[in-house]
């Protein structure tokens, strides 16, 4: 079916005409191309394509370009663009991905979206830090029965180290690792902290 048949004339007055247009014409690239081509027609004064409403508004000088001539040129443009494949519908999967990305970006701009994003990032950092702590954690629940005091202190030390790593994780990954010489004192403090943590695990 020719795309021209989907154009519906909604309004016509001296030097002004408005069409209801199909969704294919409201695609970003196609809408810009049609507006550009129509604006180049001799006698056309302004072109407004409202993509959200599916409306095309054209103002023109009837002494230079009459309605019949304008309509013929518009339909000829549409026929050429259709032959070039500009009105082919994009795959539904691609459209769905773009819609999801658009919603995600709009959500991130809101306060709620920003808060959720920060909490999600903090959760990821906590998991990453927990993996590091897991390498030097207690040997298991047996330690609690053998020496409750030492097991409690070890647990609190793990929590403290986990908290410190989580708090400084962004700086560690984005600053300290990038410029280790500049942040040598910070690395010395980290290494000494791990030294104390490992040393506390030594059996008496």
């Amino acid at each position: 079916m020719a795309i021209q048949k989907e154009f519906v004339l909604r309004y016509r007055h001296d030097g002004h005409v408005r069409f209801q247009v199909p969704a294919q014409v409201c695609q970003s690239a196609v809408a810009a191309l049609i507006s550009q081509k129509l604006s180049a027609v001799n006698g056309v004064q302004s072109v407004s394509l409202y993509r959200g409403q599916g409306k095309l508004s054209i103002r023109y000088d009837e002494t230079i370009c009459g309605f019949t001539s304008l309509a013929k040129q518009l339909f000829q443009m549409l026929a050429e663009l259709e032959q070039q494949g500009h009105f082919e519908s994009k795959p539904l999967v691609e459209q769905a991905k773009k819609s999801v990305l658009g919603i995600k970006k709009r959500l991130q701009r809101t306060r709620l979206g920003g808060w959720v994003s920060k909490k999600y990032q903090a959760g990821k950092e906590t998991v990453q830090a927990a993996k590091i702590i897991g390498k030097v954690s207690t040997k298991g629940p047996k330690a609690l029965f053998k020496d409750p005091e030492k097991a409690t202190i070890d647990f609190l030390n793990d929590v403290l180290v986990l908290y410190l790593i989580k708090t400084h994780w962004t700086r560690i990954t984005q600053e300290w690792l990038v410029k280790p010489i500049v942040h040598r004192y910070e690395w010395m403090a980290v290494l000494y902290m791990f030294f104390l943590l490992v040393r506390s695990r030594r059996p008496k």
Side-chain angles (χ1 to χ4, degrees):
M1 180 179 180
I3 194 73
Q4 299 94 320
K5 295 181 180 179
E6 298 185 45
F7 274 62
V8 179
L9 181 63
R10 292 297 187 190
Y11 176 83
R12 179 188 173 188
H13 193 57
D14 296 340
H16 184 204
V17 63
R18 188 164 61 239
F19 295 94
Q20 188 74 36
V21 299
Q24 299 96 310
V25 175
C26 297
Q27 299 177 46
S28 178
V30 177
L33 192 57
I34 291 176
S35 298
Q36 180 183 359
K37 287 181 174 293
L38 279 173
S39 298
V41 174
N42 188 27
V44 172
Q45 299 172 334
S46 67
V47 178
S48 300
L49 205 164
Y50 304 97
R51 295 169 54 203
Q53 303 174 11
K55 294 180 180 179
L56 173 63
S57 175
I58 308 172
R59 295 187 180 275
Y60 57 97
D61 188 343
E62 289 190 337
T63 61
I64 301 175
C65 177
F67 171 76
T68 302
S69 175
L70 176 64
K72 286 182 179 179
Q73 293 186 68
L74 171 61
F75 287 177
Q76 181 61 34
M77 290 177 196
L78 295 172
E80 293 175 357
L81 292 174
E82 189 171 26
Q83 290 177 356
Q84 295 168 6
H86 288 283
F87 300 124
E88 293 179 0
S89 299
K90 296 181 179 179
L92 294 177
V93 175
E94 183 179 347
Q95 291 182 1
K97 286 182 179 179
K98 289 187 176 181
S99 298
V100 170
L101 288 175
I103 294 172
K104 185 177 180 181
K105 288 181 179 178
R106 288 195 294 271
L107 179 61
Q108 289 176 345
R109 295 191 189 104
T110 64
R111 291 184 179 180
L112 176 61
W115 181 85
V116 172
S117 179
K118 288 180 181 179
K119 292 300 180 184
Y120 174 72
Q121 184 63 27
K124 288 176 61 179
E125 293 172 358
T126 302
V127 172
Q128 291 171 329
K131 290 180 181 178
I132 296 174
I133 294 299
K135 296 179 181 179
V136 290
S137 60
T138 57
K139 295 181 179 180
K142 294 181 180 179
L144 181 62
F145 297 103
K146 290 182 179 180
D147 191 344
E149 182 180 353
K150 185 176 185 302
T152 302
I153 293 174
D154 290 344
F155 172 75
L156 294 176
N157 286 339
D158 289 347
V159 172
L160 176 61
V161 173
L162 175 62
Y163 171 76
L164 291 174
I165 291 178
K166 175 184 177 296
T167 302
H168 296 85
W169 187 252
T170 302
R171 296 193 64 186
I172 291 173
T173 56
Q174 297 182 8
E175 298 179 20
W176 299 2
L177 286 174
V178 177
K179 298 179 179 179
I181 303 300
V182 176
H183 299 282
R184 57 187 179 278
Y185 297 114
E186 288 88 340
W187 280 116
M188 290 174 62
V190 170
L191 293 174
Y192 184 64
M193 179 184 67
F194 276 103
F195 167 73
L196 293 176
L197 189 64
V198 173
R199 185 171 178 272
S200 68
R201 297 292 190 274
R202 291 180 181 177
K204 296 181 179 178

